[in-house]
Amino acid sequence: QIRGIRALSQPVAREIELQLLKSGALTRARVARSSGVEEIDAETYRATLAASPYPEIPDKDGRNRFRVELIFSPERSANP
């Protein structure tokens, strides 16, 4: 569970930029846009690092940088 989510009154978004080797190994992670909630930013940054390696990048893609938007909401889902 990510600390700080319970304090939200509305959804917040954060964007992180990943730089990957073709193998999917993470070489750089950078906050492209903060959520404005320090605990959420810190936890998602740690999770980004821990998730490496990512899936291998297909040869046809040719990119090595990817931006990912994460949206956090105070609403709880019905699933446990």
Side-chain angles (χ1 to χ4, degrees):
Q1 233 182 39
I2 298 175
R3 295 179 305 226
I5 288 182
R6 290 183 188 265
L8 295 178
S9 60
Q10 62 186 20
V12 296
R14 97 171 310 249
E15 197 169 299
I16 192 153
E17 182 179 272
L18 308 175
Q19 186 170 336
L20 306 173
L21 296 176
K22 183 184 176 332
S23 66
L26 180 67
T27 59
R28 183 173 182 227
R30 171 182 87 75
V31 174
R33 181 177 43 152
S34 171
S35 70
V37 181
E38 187 176 330
E39 294 89 355
I40 290 175
D41 289 349
E43 292 292 330
T44 55
Y45 184 78
R46 281 192 283 278
T48 298
L49 299 179
S52 183
Y54 290 85
E56 188 173 308
I57 300 171
D59 288 330
K60 65 181 177 184
D61 195 312
R63 298 181 301 159
N64 71 337
R65 289 187 182 177
F66 303 88
R67 282 191 173 213
V68 179
E69 181 181 43
L70 305 167
I71 300 172
F72 298 90
S73 175
E75 298 173 14
R76 295 183 60 94
S77 69
N79 298 329

